[in-house]
Amino acid sequence: EPEVTQTPSHQVTQMGQEVILRCVPISNHLYFYWYRQILGQKVEFLVSFYNNEISEKSEIFDDQFSVERPDGSNFTLKIRSTKLEDSAMYFCASSEMREPQHFGDGTRLSIL
Amino acid sequence: AQSVTQPDIHITVSEGASLELRCNYSYGATPYLFWYVQSPGQGLQLLLKYFSGDTLVQGIKGFEAEFKRSQSSFNLRKPSVHWSDAAEYFCAGGGFTGGGNKLTFGTGTQLKVEL
């Protein structure tokens, strides 16, 4: 069964540094998402992406965050200047139109 | 505001016993509802979905859920729990727009299975 893959599985970064989290969605899916889960808290929506543009974003997704689909297969989340509070598990998901989202295994981001 | 509530943070059941995990939603209209399961170090795996129609939906691994509009609930059930079902379970809701389907998650229920 096709799956969403995320790399790296764990990223350790110094505060203030830029980080890029990578995702390869399922190949025929059209909708792409990022969520995050701070340790001990609920999974929170960050952003959805469709037709090469952001379709919706949450209050969390401020100017420090950006997403990109640089080619036909990758979907990236960039955090420009990381803060301690950005430490979390970040999940990528993808879906077809009006179908459930399929999630990757996540990238654990640790900010030191 | 849209919200999904899972009242039980932890539940412990004996292997072979039945299971019911509670989920309540608050939406302006009937949302699309989902149950996901997360094993340690793993991503979120879809167990089942409710879009419309039959209010009792069947999922993978022997799970089912019942949508009750009058109670704003979408509880997950399994008649006989296996030790491998120990995991965290998330209820989620959303509504499809032209740009996708933003999911709102509950806080999760951690299931422990006693042998």
Side-chain angles (χ1 to χ4, degrees):
Chain A
E1 184 178 327
E3 57 183 29
V4 176
T5 57
Q6 291 186 243
T7 55
S9 57
H10 191 190
Q11 174 82 46
V12 181
T13 301
Q14 292 288 330
M15 186 173 58
Q17 295 295 306
E18 175 183 286
V19 66
I20 297 176
L21 309 182
R22 303 183 189 280
C23 170
V24 179
I26 295 173
S27 61
N28 62 329
H29 285 184
L30 301 175
Y31 300 89
F32 313 110
Y33 310 85
W34 284 100
Y35 293 80
R36 79 172 185 190
Q37 184 182 28
I38 294 172
L39 189 64
Q41 298 185 24
K42 66 169 70 176
V43 178
E44 301 172 289
F45 169 80
L46 291 178
V47 66
S48 58
F49 190 87
Y50 169 69
N51 202 24
N52 282 321
E53 61 182 21
I54 291 173
S55 48
E56 188 170 359
K57 60 183 181 180
S58 71
E59 294 173 350
I60 304 167
F61 195 88
D62 61 21
D63 292 343
Q64 294 299 312
F65 291 88
S66 62
V67 289
E68 192 178 33
R69 188 155 163 81
D71 52 43
S73 59
N74 291 282
F75 180 51
T76 61
L77 174 70
K78 183 185 340 186
I79 309 175
R80 287 191 187 82
S81 180
T82 50
K83 309 184 196 69
L84 292 175
E85 54 265 37
D86 293 327
S87 295
M89 180 74 88
Y90 288 81
F91 292 106
C92 174
S94 68
S95 73
E96 297 179 72
M97 185 178 293
R98 295 188 178 274
E99 287 296 325
Q101 294 171 34
H102 295 255
F103 285 79
D105 285 344
T107 294
R108 180 167 299 285
L109 178 62
S110 300
I111 307 300
L112 304 179
Chain B
Q2 300 168 343
S3 68
V4 173
T5 303
Q6 293 179 248
D8 304 305
I9 298 173
H10 298 280
I11 282 187
T12 300
V13 298
S14 299
E15 189 176 36
S18 63
L19 171 71
E20 182 167 26
L21 302 182
R22 296 184 291 164
C23 173
N24 295 98
Y25 66 89
S26 175
Y27 276 78
T30 300
Y32 299 114
L33 295 164
F34 310 88
W35 276 97
Y36 286 87
V37 61
Q38 184 181 32
S39 298
Q42 302 287 309
L44 297 158
Q45 182 183 23
L46 178 70
L47 286 176
L48 47 76
K49 65 185 183 187
Y50 173 76
F51 285 178
S52 65
D54 195 345
T55 56
L56 184 64
V57 293
Q58 303 296 320
I60 62 171
K61 305 185 181 188
F63 286 92
E64 66 178 26
E66 186 170 12
F67 171 72
K68 293 185 177 180
R69 185 189 304 275
S70 62
Q71 298 177 21
S72 298
S73 68
F74 187 58
N75 294 348
L76 182 72
R77 301 196 294 246
K78 187 169 184 178
S80 177
V81 168
H82 188 262
W83 65 266
S84 60
D85 293 325
E88 187 151 26
Y89 291 79
F90 292 93
C91 182
F96 288 104
T97 66
N101 173 22
K102 162 191 164 183
L103 291 178
T104 299
F105 281 83
T107 50
T109 298
Q110 187 72 47
L111 174 65
K112 181 180 174 182
V113 180
E114 290 182 333
L115 300 175

